[in-house]
Amino acid sequence: MNRRAFFNWGTGGLVALCSGVGVSFAAMVRFLVPSVFYEPPQSFKIGDPADFPYGPPTFLPEEKIFVFRDRDRGFAVASAVCTHLGCTVAYFQSDHRFHCPCHGSVFGPNGAVQHGPAPRGLNWFEITQARDGQLLVDKDKVVPPSYRLMV
Amino acid sequence: MGRKLPQVFFALSTLALVLIVAAVWQASTPSWKDYQRRFFQLEAQDEPNAVTKAAVLATPPQIHQILLPGLQRVDRCTTCHLGVDDPTMKDAPEPFRYHAGLGPHIPSKFGCTICHGGQGLATDVKDAHGEVPFWQDPLLAKSYIRASCGRCHKEGDVPGVPELTEGRRLFESEGCHGCHKLNGVGGSIGPDLTEEGTSHRSPEWLERHFLAPNVVSTGSAMPNFHFTREQARALTYYMLSLTNEEMGSYYSSVLLIPSPEYGRQLFVEKDCIVCHSIGGVGAKTGPDLLAVTKRHSLEWLDEQLVNPQLVYPGSSMPEYDLETNARKALVAFISAATSDDAQEILGHRGKALTAEDVAIEAGRRDFARFGCAGCHGTELQGGVPNPNAQGGQVPSLLHVSDDYTKDEVIQIIRDGKVPPLDNASGPTPPLYMPSWKHLLSEEDIHQLVEFLWSKQQKSKESW
Amino acid sequence: MNLIREIWQSIVRRDPLSTDKGKSELVFLNVWLHIHPAKVKKENLRFKYTFYLGFITFFLFVILLTTGIALMCYYRPYPPQAYQDMKDLQFVVFMGPFLRAMHRWAAHAMVVCVFLHMCRVFYTGSYKKPRQFNWVVGVFLLLLTLGLSFTGYLLPWDQLAYWAITVGTNIGSYAPFIGSQVREILLGGHTVGEAALLRFYVLHVAILPSAIILLTIVHFWRIRKDGGLSRPVWKLAPNKVEQLVTIGAPAETAPLKVVAASKDKTYGLMEVVTGKPIFETITPEEEEDAVFSYPYAFFREAIALMVTVTGIMVVSLFLHAPLEQLANPAKTPNPAKAPWYFLGLQELVSHSALLGGVLAPTLMVIVLLAIPYFDRNPSRRPSDRKWAIWLFTIFVVANLVLIVIGTFFRGPGWAFVPPWIHVVAGAE
């Protein structure tokens, strides 16, 4: 076989090989991305609308969310995880604010930072109504503080 | 240089590329993605809003998983069975149909496999339904699913599942305890049934076995009890419910649906009629129990059963060691009991109670409870085949007084007895009288013998 | 542009590959490739002589390393999570079944290839002086390969795994004095349980791979120091035959011509250090038989690699690794069989525990280790070695027959049941 033929076949083979390696690499990365999580789900149902009172928000400790229900504007769900270092904040009815016990961050009624070392306001999560009428919260979907679900 | 080596190299490299692409393609196209796509199309079908419709159709496929640490399992059934909690899907084709009638048993807290069986970890159809070798818990056929209720609801009646109650009752009345241990009580001639529900013997096998033990389990010494189809099914339901799974407290503290039947059984067992009356019928020592739930709360009544002295110091009501479910059942019975019930209970007890009557009654209860009927028959008639034993069968007990004194029978019950061989060089008979001294106190054995003697038939005089 | 060339040349510092110097430098200036000689003898490349089995075994090991490390991201060595993780790999992990299949089939293939490689080395007499110790290292590599396969066998924690290891460790416990103690250390207890799984895992992913890598380094190093890869010297013209010489060994006065040590190209590196390029050290008569490693040897190696990889991939695409039901210590499958490479031993054990469990394996290992020192015949020509070849062949065939019997001809109760007869399963 002459040099040109050798070179062509050889290069062709090398290209195929490198492509194969490239695909394998991409596949390996995808392999490492988990398809299921052994954690509580990010999207979950919290119950019927009738289960939630108006006025002070309902705190769900396992899901770490506050569920607000306003007579005029409907439902809203705020995260109870402080944006500073992850402690669970508490809601005080007296001043309608969220207070973090760890480093003293204070968040206003709409979750904005008013005081303390927190860098961002509290997240508000999307809340919708599932087809069986139950309320569905999705922590993967962050919405603006003005978001409300009217039921 | 090898003549064709560069071409071989090229061919192999291309082959390797093709193969890795094929492997990636194989991994990217699992069957569950097809099912999800079909479901979203179904969902989007009736959606008027174009934006929502597009969003639904564009939902990225992903595996849905219900983590159930309290039940020690992981269920991925909802990856394909996406309409399970969606009432609008009640007429959809399977696997998308809505699951009606769940009540408090919502999928997110209970998953699917705890009732239906199958392999929750799997994500393709045959594996998930457990219809593969090496998974011995396949989907339960429709006719057996309700047996799973008994896995959590272990006592009392479960509404909608009368088979469980009937099966439990048959197990006691036919004397299965005599050969089979259940929860530590029973004989060792047959296998222990405490965890029969997890034994991986199929429901069909169990039912066939109840109908014809020897045919299904060759060489078995279990007699044919000539059950009807319904009885065999009820017993199968009961077997399937016998599991001992570790469950988180959320599941194991399950509210029992209190069973008035069970409560009545307890009322009779504990002989409450000896001190109490219902609607005037019965004894006058303690208060009348008619409509007692209208006068006292359920919590109060429950406390009364646990600790009578607390409520009425100096009361002569003994402390009964009843567990929660039993107390609930008893209260359920009392709340609806009438003077007719009391009359019936009194009638069964006979008139005056002598010590002997008490003993015979206790003996009768023990005869049933420890399963003697399993070998000796509910009417003490014997007759169960016992190959190579003298007489070829388990003896009848109706004539023991002819051949033995009471003390001899006491000794046989206490220490057991191996039946004498018909043919000395033949095989050992499969059935034998076990020793009961570890399970029965001396008093119990005496009472049993009193019961036996009360049943003796006079044999014909033979010349 | 200059910057790019500067960056390139700071990484790749050899001459262009079109020059002879460049071809040589590719080998000895490269850390990954410099175990190769810059030039190899043509006969070293003969496929039908070695079938490249050594290389294939090594490539299989590389496949096992990469797939194994990938699988480690999803596997927990604690029962029963181990079994659940196997199910996750099968159903939920992207390319889980494929990677697991690659790992399992490559493992079986490696055991087979290690054995075939040993046969090849024996049949070509390549264990003879001065390569005796490399044969010994090879035997240890064989034992380590079997150990890796055995420890890996337990990890899925299914019925097959549990009982195969129970049987396997019980065979081992028949060894006198140390048998039961070694078994206790291996299992971390008296039966296969949590402790055993953890220990087997540590052995499988850390201890045994490290040992194999260390010994492989020695194995490859010694090939170079022993004078290079094996070639069928009995086929070469007399004046081209040389006695292979190792560093420090006294020159043998043997019937074959001795080539002075300085002419052996193993020492080429030293010549380069003194300034003379390597190829000038090769004697004129050798030059025609020797070709540059690049591209001749590397090309063939690449092809061997491709054949191995594509072969394993093809099998893995169509045949998924089996997984039986969860390990159940209370329920022994009937029959319970050791992994296939131990089935010959299990067959022997079924006749006599002493024979199968102690004598046979010990004798086999001792005999294998002793071969290069026992064999006083200096010739490697097959026609001069009829006895050796026959004996070895008988040994190989006997092993195969025992394994075949154990695999296909033993049914429930270890009864002799030819595979074409269907055994009716007993009642429940």
Side-chain angles (χ1 to χ4, degrees), chain C residues 121-177:
Chain C
V121 172
F122 184 90
Y123 286 128
T124 58
S126 310
Y127 58 84
K128 293 183 194 269
K129 199 173 184 149
R131 298 179 194 258
Q132 304 103 311
F133 188 64
N134 214 13
W135 167 273
V136 169
V137 171
V139 171
F140 281 110
L141 283 170
L142 168 69
L143 294 174
L144 283 172
T145 306
L146 289 175
L148 271 171
S149 192
F150 188 65
T151 48
Y153 216 78
L154 178 64
L155 302 185
W157 201 252
D158 64 351
Q159 278 286 70
L160 182 69
Y162 186 90
W163 292 102
I165 267 51
T166 302
V167 168
T169 49
N170 280 333
I171 291 178
S173 71
Y174 281 116
F177 308 118

Side-chain angles (χ1 to χ4, degrees), chain A residues 6, chain B residues 1-2 5, chain C residues 23 40 42 45 52 290-302:
Chain A
F6 164 75
Chain B
M1 186 63 188
L5 280 184
Chain C
K23 291 195 181 97
V40 293
K42 270 206 204 128
L45 301 176
Y52 299 172
V291 290
F292 278 105
S293 292
Y294 173 85
Y296 298 97
F298 292 168
F299 219 68
R300 283 169 168 72
E301 283 181 31

Side-chain angles (χ1 to χ4, degrees), chain B residues 261-431:
Chain B
E261 308 299 322
Y262 181 48
R264 185 205 179 95
Q265 197 184 314
L266 285 166
F267 192 91
V268 171
E269 202 177 288
K270 302 295 169 192
D271 237 358
C272 308
I273 204 77
V274 173
C275 292
H276 289 278
S277 57
I278 308 180
V281 178
K284 308 282 185 259
T285 319
D288 190 286
L289 296 176
L290 184 64
V292 66
T293 45
K294 295 210 167 68
R295 301 193 295 275
H296 295 288
S297 70
L298 295 174
E299 288 77 29
W300 188 95
L301 287 169
D302 194 71
E303 191 55 49
Q304 176 72 32
L305 281 169
V306 170
N307 196 346
Q309 299 293 320
L310 192 67
V311 181
Y312 285 125
S315 155
S316 56
M317 173 160 167
E319 253 181 50
Y320 295 99
D321 207 4
L322 291 172
E323 42 172 15
T324 320
N325 291 339
R327 296 199 302 272
K328 283 196 165 79
L330 191 53
V331 170
F333 166 68
I334 296 172
S335 64
T338 64
S339 52
D340 289 330
D341 294 303
Q343 197 71 48
E344 213 187 317
I345 292 170
L346 265 183
H348 277 290
R349 286 184 80 261
K351 290 136 204 141
L353 269 189
T354 61
E356 205 184 296
D357 286 334
V358 169
I360 291 175
E361 205 40 51
R364 184 206 307 279
R365 276 209 302 274
D366 280 337
F367 189 86
R369 189 164 159 238
F370 288 94
C372 313
C375 286
H376 290 289
T378 43
E379 305 304 317
L380 283 71
Q381 75 278 21
V384 169
N386 196 10
N388 202 32
Q390 257 178 26
Q393 58 185 26
V394 174
S396 152
L397 296 176
L398 295 168
H399 301 280
V400 276
S401 56
D402 293 344
D403 302 312
Y404 298 96
T405 63
K406 277 191 186 177
D407 281 327
E408 283 169 339
V409 174
I410 286 173
Q411 197 259 318
I412 290 176
I413 298 176
R414 187 195 302 131
D415 296 327
K417 183 175 177 176
V418 175
L421 295 176
D422 206 13
N423 175 0
S425 52
T428 323
L431 299 174

Side-chain angles (χ1 to χ4, degrees), chain A residues 1 5-6 8-14 16-17 19-20 23-24 27 35-41 45 131-133, chain B residues 1 3-4 6-7 9-10 13-14 16-17 20-21 24 43 47 63 65 67 74 76 85-89 98 121:
Chain A
M1 158 174 303
F6 164 75
N8 290 339
W9 284 114
T11 315
L14 212 59
L17 189 62
S19 319
V23 172
S24 307
S35 301
V36 290
F37 297 92
Y38 281 87
E39 304 158 356
K45 290 185 184 161
R131 279 151 174 258
D132 60 354
Chain B
M1 186 63 188
R3 312 93 275 211
K4 289 252 168 46
Q7 284 148 317
F9 176 66
F10 176 76
S13 303
T14 320
L17 177 63
I20 189 71
V21 167
V24 169
E43 245 194 351
E47 181 61 53
I63 297 180
Q65 178 173 284
L67 266 184
V74 173
R76 296 177 177 138
D85 55 358
D86 184 352
T88 65
M89 289 280 166
Y98 172 60
L121 287 164

